[in-house]
Amino acid sequence: MRQEDRERNGDMKTEVWRRHIFRYTVIVSALIVGMLSANAKNHEDLFVRCSIDQSSFYSHECVCATMWLYTPYSDIAFVNEVESPHLKTGEFSYISRVQNFHKSHREKVDGKLYYAFPLASFVFAMNDAGKYTMQSGKFEIGINFPVVYEDPFFGKVRTAETRSCIVDMKPVDFKVKSLPAAKDTVAFSGAVGKFSVSTVVPRGDIIVNEEASIIVIVKGRGLLGSDILPEYRDAFGEGNKLKSISEQLNTYFDGESIVSELELECEFVPTDIRNCRIGAVRFGYFNPETKRFEVAESEPVDIDVKSSAVKVEPVYI
């Protein structure tokens, strides 16, 4: 056979081999994509469930909720929130996203073992009593699927492909109970939770007939609105006169519940050196654990008032 014929035959064999490889690659790729697409679309075995700390709670009581992803797949590539959950009817009086302190774990649901991943946590409260349904949370879930295919050169090759699907949150029902009627003996502030009250006197001399200040602190588990204040006016008047107050409210999540801390800086003028007292500051609230109205009360504070003479600096001649 001539050299030209041998080269021509070699080129033909190479071209045939290339066509086979191309056809094989296309078929394998189509099978992989088809398999992954089927897995991504068939997400009946994935679901999102909202877990609320309490299925029944009082109006104005702050509760925590966490959205969980349940999946048989352990390799989650990404999670994107497409739509936030909302109420079927009614409105939240307060809702805020908080840091997620939960950890992923394995859990059995209806006899099947799932991986449970916490997606997001939030706290909320309701004004009106009644039955409610939280619904319509949507998440885009990216899943890494393991793939093994036969490579014509390298044999079996392991890889992973990410496919996404939209998973709806399952609706969850909860009930909000009305607060009982407050007794006439309790000045109810409107707060629901568990609180304490304390009075702090800043360091430094307090001079008679000159402005001074104390700080009243209301702190506890529960939500304090901007219009919720303790009964502080009756604490002043014994050897002093209240001039003004300023408020500072700090609210944070400690991993279990909402914690509120209200500071009232009260400016007053001491009028009596011998007898100047800040009386008890009271704060009435409803405790959902005891199901009763309670009153937190600070200890009275006797103020050490100094004469204005202590401010006179000596003059040396």
Side-chain angles (χ1 to χ4, degrees):
M1 183 181 293
R2 292 182 303 174
Q3 180 68 23
E4 294 179 358
D5 293 336
R6 285 197 296 268
E7 291 178 355
R8 187 180 298 110
N9 289 336
D11 292 341
M12 291 177 63
K13 290 180 181 179
T14 301
E15 181 64 25
V16 170
W17 180 240
R18 286 176 178 173
R19 289 179 181 177
H20 280 299
I21 292 177
F22 177 76
R23 186 179 303 167
Y24 179 82
T25 304
V26 170
I27 293 173
V28 171
S29 300
L31 289 174
I32 293 173
V33 171
M35 179 184 67
L36 293 174
S37 298
N39 283 335
K41 292 178 181 178
N42 183 24
H43 59 266
E44 288 81 4
D45 51 354
L46 280 77
F47 60 92
V48 174
R49 176 182 292 176
C50 183
S51 172
I52 304 177
D53 285 349
Q54 305 173 60
S55 59
S56 178
F57 50 91
Y58 288 96
S59 60
H60 306 290
E61 182 179 1
C62 213
V63 296
C64 182
T66 300
M67 290 174 284
W68 292 85
L69 169 65
Y70 289 83
T71 169
Y73 310 108
S74 61
D75 194 356
I76 303 300
F78 63 85
V79 176
N80 294 323
E81 185 174 357
V82 178
E83 182 180 346
S84 298
H86 60 266
L87 297 177
K88 185 176 181 180
T89 57
E91 295 181 354
F92 298 108
S93 62
Y94 174 85
I95 184 169
S96 177
R97 287 294 175 94
V98 295
Q99 184 178 351
N100 193 341
F101 287 91
H102 297 284
K103 295 182 179 180
S104 57
H105 60 275
R106 302 203 74 181
E107 182 179 334
K108 270 192 175 182
V109 179
D110 297 331
K112 187 175 180 179
L113 192 60
Y114 288 88
Y115 293 95
F117 296 98
L119 301 181
S121 294
F122 59 94
V123 291
F124 70 96
M126 305 289 295
N127 277 341
D128 301 324
K131 295 181 179 180
Y132 296 90
T133 299
M134 193 184 305
Q135 61 181 17
S136 299
K138 292 181 183 292
F139 292 87
E140 181 187 17
I141 310 297
I143 307 168
N144 288 328
F145 289 98
V147 176
V148 179
Y149 66 93
E150 194 74 28
D151 186 273
F153 297 105
F154 303 103
K156 290 185 178 181
V157 176
R158 293 180 178 271
T159 184
E161 291 287 343
T162 302
R163 290 293 181 268
S164 65
C165 57
I166 301 297
V167 182
D168 295 334
M169 185 192 81
K170 292 187 175 183
V172 57
D173 298 326
F174 61 90
K175 180 182 178 181
V176 180
K177 299 177 289 187
S178 298
L179 295 177
K183 297 180 180 179
D184 295 336
T185 55
V186 176
F188 179 44
S189 65
V192 176
K194 175 66 176 176
F195 300 91
S196 63
V197 184
S198 59
T199 301
V200 178
V201 181
R203 291 183 178 181
D205 291 336
I206 295 180
I207 309 301
V208 67
N209 294 325
E210 293 190 7
E211 289 186 6
S213 66
I214 64 161
I215 298 175
V216 175
I217 301 174
V218 179
K219 184 177 180 179
R221 296 187 180 276
L223 191 63
L224 294 177
S226 58
D227 57 341
I228 295 179
L229 295 174
E231 294 293 326
Y232 60 88
R233 293 179 179 84
D234 292 341
F236 295 88
E238 189 175 348
N240 55 72
K241 292 181 180 180
L242 178 64
K243 290 199 65 178
S244 63
I245 66 164
S246 58
E247 310 162 28
Q248 182 176 343
L249 177 62
N250 181 30
T251 302
Y252 58 91
F253 184 69
D254 68 352
E256 295 181 3
S257 63
I258 280 289
V259 177
S260 297
E261 184 172 350
L262 173 65
E263 290 189 3
L264 288 182
E265 185 175 3
C266 304
E267 291 190 355
F268 69 99
V269 175
T271 57
D272 193 329
I273 295 179
R274 293 177 296 275
N275 181 27
C276 180
R277 164 175 280 209
I278 307 298
V281 178
R282 297 176 177 85
F283 185 70
Y285 62 92
F286 180 77
N287 188 335
E289 294 184 0
T290 61
K291 302 178 182 179
R292 295 185 304 176
F293 289 93
E294 299 177 0
V295 178
E297 187 173 303
S298 67
E299 293 291 334
V301 177
D302 291 318
I303 304 297
D304 181 17
V305 181
K306 299 185 180 301
S307 169
S308 57
V310 301
K311 294 183 61 179
V312 178
E313 297 183 0
V315 178
Y316 298 96
I317 300 176

